[in-house]
Amino acid sequence: MQNDAVDVVWRPRTTWEGCDLGVRLLQSWLRPVFACYLAVAVPLFCLFAATGAAVSWMPFLLIWISKPWLDRTILFVLSRALFGRPTSPLEVWRARAEVWWRQLAARHRGVARAATQAFAVAEFALFVSLFFLQVWLAPHTDANPWSDLQSLWRPGHAWVSALEYATVVLFLEPFYVAAGFGMYLNRRVELEAWDIEQEFRRAFAR
Protein backbone atom coordinates (compact mmCIF):
# COMPACT_ATOMS: atom_id res chain seq x y z
CA MET A 1 0.00 0.00 0.00
CA GLN A 2 1.36 3.44 -0.97
CA ASN A 3 0.81 5.51 2.13
CA ASP A 4 1.84 8.72 0.42
CA ALA A 5 -1.14 8.33 -1.94
CA VAL A 6 -3.65 8.04 0.89
CA ASP A 7 -5.71 11.11 1.76
CA VAL A 8 -5.45 10.40 5.53
CA VAL A 9 -2.86 11.33 8.15
CA TRP A 10 -1.88 8.08 9.87
CA ARG A 11 -1.25 8.17 13.61
CA PRO A 12 -1.83 5.82 16.54
CA ARG A 13 -5.53 5.94 17.43
CA THR A 14 -7.73 4.18 19.93
CA THR A 15 -10.21 1.71 18.46
CA TRP A 16 -13.08 4.14 19.07
CA GLU A 17 -11.11 6.84 17.25
CA GLY A 18 -10.75 4.32 14.44
CA CYS A 19 -14.54 4.12 14.25
CA ASP A 20 -14.68 7.91 14.08
CA LEU A 21 -12.07 7.92 11.29
CA GLY A 22 -14.30 5.68 9.20
CA VAL A 23 -17.39 7.80 9.81
CA ARG A 24 -15.45 10.98 8.94
CA LEU A 25 -14.32 9.35 5.70
CA LEU A 26 -17.93 8.50 4.90
CA GLN A 27 -19.03 12.08 5.63
CA SER A 28 -16.42 13.37 3.19
CA TRP A 29 -17.61 10.99 0.45
CA LEU A 30 -21.30 10.78 1.34
CA ARG A 31 -22.68 11.30 -2.16
CA PRO A 32 -20.72 8.61 -4.06
CA VAL A 33 -21.10 6.09 -1.22
CA PHE A 34 -24.87 6.47 -1.01
CA ALA A 35 -25.23 6.68 -4.82
CA CYS A 36 -23.47 3.34 -5.29
CA TYR A 37 -25.11 1.68 -2.29
CA LEU A 38 -28.64 2.76 -3.20
CA ALA A 39 -28.12 1.74 -6.84
CA VAL A 40 -27.53 -1.84 -5.66
CA ALA A 41 -29.73 -2.04 -2.55
CA VAL A 42 -32.94 -0.33 -3.70
CA PRO A 43 -33.72 -2.69 -6.64
CA LEU A 44 -32.90 -5.66 -4.42
CA PHE A 45 -35.13 -4.41 -1.61
CA CYS A 46 -37.97 -3.81 -4.09
CA LEU A 47 -37.63 -7.43 -5.18
CA PHE A 48 -37.71 -8.53 -1.54
CA ALA A 49 -40.82 -6.42 -0.91
CA ALA A 50 -42.69 -8.43 -3.53
CA THR A 51 -42.34 -11.54 -1.37
CA GLY A 52 -44.46 -9.86 1.32
CA ALA A 53 -47.61 -10.67 -0.65
CA ALA A 54 -47.07 -14.35 0.15
CA VAL A 55 -45.41 -14.18 3.60
CA SER A 56 -45.59 -10.89 5.51
CA TRP A 57 -42.30 -11.34 7.37
CA MET A 58 -40.24 -12.55 4.40
CA PRO A 59 -39.03 -9.07 3.24
CA PHE A 60 -37.60 -8.35 6.71
CA LEU A 61 -35.69 -11.65 6.74
CA LEU A 62 -34.32 -11.18 3.21
CA ILE A 63 -33.21 -7.59 3.89
CA TRP A 64 -31.47 -8.65 7.09
CA ILE A 65 -29.72 -11.60 5.39
CA SER A 66 -28.55 -9.45 2.46
CA LYS A 67 -26.92 -6.73 4.59
CA PRO A 68 -23.40 -8.31 4.83
CA TRP A 69 -23.34 -8.87 1.07
CA LEU A 70 -24.48 -5.31 0.33
CA ASP A 71 -21.87 -3.95 2.76
CA ARG A 72 -19.20 -4.97 0.24
CA THR A 73 -20.37 -2.17 -2.07
CA ILE A 74 -19.87 0.40 0.68
CA LEU A 75 -16.42 -1.00 1.49
CA PHE A 76 -15.38 -0.84 -2.15
CA VAL A 77 -16.34 2.83 -2.46
CA LEU A 78 -14.71 3.75 0.87
CA SER A 79 -11.48 1.93 -0.01
CA ARG A 80 -11.21 3.98 -3.20
CA ALA A 81 -12.18 7.17 -1.36
CA LEU A 82 -9.20 6.56 0.92
CA PHE A 83 -7.01 7.32 -2.11
CA GLY A 84 -9.15 10.28 -3.18
CA ARG A 85 -10.81 8.33 -6.00
CA PRO A 86 -14.56 8.85 -6.51
CA THR A 87 -16.64 5.84 -7.55
CA SER A 88 -19.76 5.65 -9.71
CA PRO A 89 -22.40 2.89 -9.75
CA LEU A 90 -21.12 1.87 -13.19
CA GLU A 91 -17.62 1.32 -11.77
CA VAL A 92 -19.10 -0.85 -9.02
CA TRP A 93 -20.82 -2.95 -11.67
CA ARG A 94 -17.63 -3.33 -13.69
CA ALA A 95 -15.77 -4.49 -10.57
CA ARG A 96 -18.64 -6.71 -9.38
CA ALA A 97 -16.52 -9.87 -9.19
CA GLU A 98 -14.07 -8.16 -6.85
CA VAL A 99 -16.71 -6.27 -4.89
CA TRP A 100 -19.26 -8.98 -4.17
CA TRP A 101 -17.28 -12.20 -3.98
CA ARG A 102 -14.19 -11.54 -1.85
CA GLN A 103 -13.38 -11.30 1.90
CA LEU A 104 -11.91 -9.05 4.67
CA ALA A 105 -10.55 -9.67 8.31
CA ALA A 106 -10.31 -7.94 11.78
CA ARG A 107 -9.45 -7.99 15.54
CA HIS A 108 -10.36 -5.95 18.70
CA ARG A 109 -13.64 -7.83 19.01
CA GLY A 110 -14.77 -5.94 22.13
CA VAL A 111 -15.13 -2.57 20.43
CA ALA A 112 -16.35 -4.19 17.21
CA ARG A 113 -19.05 -6.02 19.17
CA ALA A 114 -20.02 -2.83 21.03
CA ALA A 115 -20.25 -0.89 17.77
CA THR A 116 -22.39 -3.64 16.23
CA GLN A 117 -24.71 -3.61 19.24
CA ALA A 118 -24.94 0.19 19.18
CA PHE A 119 -25.93 0.25 15.51
CA ALA A 120 -28.33 -2.67 16.04
CA VAL A 121 -30.06 -0.74 18.83
CA ALA A 122 -30.18 2.39 16.65
CA GLU A 123 -31.63 0.36 13.77
CA PHE A 124 -34.27 -1.19 16.02
CA ALA A 125 -35.16 2.16 17.63
CA LEU A 126 -35.57 3.90 14.28
CA PHE A 127 -37.68 1.08 12.89
CA VAL A 128 -39.93 0.97 15.96
CA SER A 129 -40.32 4.75 15.79
CA LEU A 130 -41.41 4.62 12.15
CA PHE A 131 -43.64 1.60 12.80
CA PHE A 132 -45.52 3.26 15.67
CA LEU A 133 -45.73 6.54 13.76
CA GLN A 134 -47.73 4.55 11.23
CA VAL A 135 -50.01 3.36 14.07
CA TRP A 136 -50.50 6.83 15.53
CA LEU A 137 -51.27 8.48 12.19
CA ALA A 138 -53.63 5.76 10.97
CA PRO A 139 -57.38 6.24 11.53
CA HIS A 140 -58.53 4.16 14.51
CA THR A 141 -61.40 1.82 13.75
CA ASP A 142 -61.63 0.06 17.10
CA ALA A 143 -61.47 0.97 20.76
CA ASN A 144 -58.82 -1.73 21.19
CA PRO A 145 -55.43 -0.29 20.10
CA TRP A 146 -53.98 -3.79 19.67
CA SER A 147 -56.36 -4.47 16.78
CA ASP A 148 -54.87 -1.51 14.89
CA LEU A 149 -51.37 -2.78 15.63
CA GLN A 150 -52.15 -6.32 14.52
CA SER A 151 -53.73 -5.08 11.30
CA LEU A 152 -50.38 -3.63 10.21
CA TRP A 153 -48.91 -7.13 9.97
CA ARG A 154 -51.53 -8.33 7.50
CA PRO A 155 -50.30 -8.77 3.90
CA GLY A 156 -52.09 -5.60 2.79
CA HIS A 157 -50.13 -3.43 5.27
CA ALA A 158 -46.94 -5.42 5.85
CA TRP A 159 -45.25 -3.91 2.81
CA VAL A 160 -45.37 -0.49 4.51
CA SER A 161 -43.50 -1.88 7.52
CA ALA A 162 -41.02 -3.58 5.18
CA LEU A 163 -40.49 -0.23 3.45
CA GLU A 164 -39.83 1.40 6.83
CA TYR A 165 -37.27 -1.24 7.75
CA ALA A 166 -35.58 -0.93 4.35
CA THR A 167 -35.39 2.86 4.80
CA VAL A 168 -33.71 2.45 8.20
CA VAL A 169 -31.18 -0.04 6.79
CA LEU A 170 -30.42 2.16 3.77
CA PHE A 171 -29.74 5.12 6.06
CA LEU A 172 -27.75 3.44 8.86
CA GLU A 173 -25.76 0.70 7.14
CA PRO A 174 -23.14 2.95 5.44
CA PHE A 175 -22.29 4.49 8.83
CA TYR A 176 -21.98 1.05 10.42
CA VAL A 177 -19.72 -0.22 7.64
CA ALA A 178 -17.63 2.97 7.71
CA ALA A 179 -17.04 2.56 11.46
CA GLY A 180 -15.87 -1.03 10.89
CA PHE A 181 -13.65 0.06 8.01
CA GLY A 182 -12.08 2.70 10.25
CA MET A 183 -11.31 0.03 12.88
CA TYR A 184 -9.75 -2.15 10.19
CA LEU A 185 -7.53 0.71 8.99
CA ASN A 186 -6.52 1.55 12.55
CA ARG A 187 -5.49 -2.06 13.15
CA ARG A 188 -3.40 -2.05 9.98
CA VAL A 189 -1.65 1.10 11.23
CA GLU A 190 -0.83 -0.72 14.48
CA LEU A 191 0.44 -3.87 12.78
CA GLU A 192 2.33 -2.34 9.86
CA ALA A 193 3.39 1.07 11.26
CA TRP A 194 1.78 3.01 8.43
CA ASP A 195 2.20 6.25 10.40
CA ILE A 196 6.00 5.81 10.56
CA GLU A 197 6.21 4.85 6.90
CA GLN A 198 4.14 7.90 5.94
CA GLU A 199 6.47 10.21 7.87
CA PHE A 200 9.55 8.68 6.24
CA ARG A 201 8.09 9.12 2.78
CA ARG A 202 7.27 12.76 3.47
CA ALA A 203 10.71 13.43 4.94
CA PHE A 204 12.59 11.96 1.96
CA ALA A 205 10.24 13.57 -0.57
CA ARG A 206 11.43 17.05 0.47
Side-chain angles (χ1 to χ4, degrees):
M1 180 169 174
Q2 296 180 345
N3 287 320
D4 54 337
V6 176
D7 195 21
V8 172
V9 176
W10 298 126
R11 63 174 177 82
R13 292 176 168 88
T14 67
T15 312
W16 286 114
E17 286 178 318
C19 291
D20 184 65
L21 172 66
V23 173
R24 295 287 183 180
L25 181 65
L26 172 64
Q27 290 174 334
S28 299
W29 294 85
L30 207 62
R31 183 172 294 181
V33 170
F34 270 94
C36 294
Y37 178 55
L38 294 178
V40 177
V42 169
L44 196 63
F45 287 1
C46 289
L47 185 65
F48 293 163
T51 65
V55 183
S56 61
W57 49 263
M58 186 61 70
F60 299 91
L61 178 63
L62 292 175
I63 290 172
W64 184 75
I65 290 174
S66 70
K67 288 200 299 180
W69 184 77
L70 289 170
D71 291 350
R72 295 171 180 269
T73 301
I74 304 169
L75 280 173
F76 178 69
V77 181
L78 288 175
S79 65
R80 288 166 60 93
L82 193 64
F83 293 89
R85 297 170 60 188
T87 306
S88 68
L90 182 59
E91 288 173 304
V92 174
W93 175 251
R94 287 172 178 165
R96 59 190 178 276
E98 175 189 352
V99 175
W100 296 326
W101 312 115
R102 294 204 181 162
Q103 308 266 349
L104 258 177
R107 191 199 149 203
H108 287 286
R109 295 192 183 102
V111 174
R113 190 179 298 113
T116 298
Q117 291 171 347
F119 277 98
V121 169
E123 181 181 288
F124 178 74
L126 282 174
F127 171 66
V128 169
S129 299
L130 288 176
F131 182 79
F132 278 98
L133 184 65
Q134 184 187 171
V135 176
W136 294 331
L137 295 179
H140 297 285
T141 58
D142 198 327
N144 182 8
W146 286 108
S147 63
D148 295 318
L149 187 61
Q150 291 168 355
S151 68
L152 295 177
W153 290 106
R154 294 170 187 163
H157 295 281
W159 69 270
V160 178
S161 299
L163 176 62
E164 291 167 349
Y165 180 57
T167 301
V168 170
V169 170
L170 290 173
F171 171 71
L172 272 182
E173 199 67 10
F175 291 93
Y176 169 64
V177 175
F181 184 56
M183 283 191 285
Y184 165 77
L185 292 175
N186 194 53
R187 184 58 181 154
R188 293 291 298 272
V189 171
E190 292 177 7
L191 292 175
E192 301 177 25
W194 284 356
D195 54 328
I196 298 174
E197 181 183 342
Q198 188 179 61
E199 290 301 319
F200 269 115
R201 287 180 179 273
R202 287 179 177 174
F204 285 106
R206 293 171 185 169

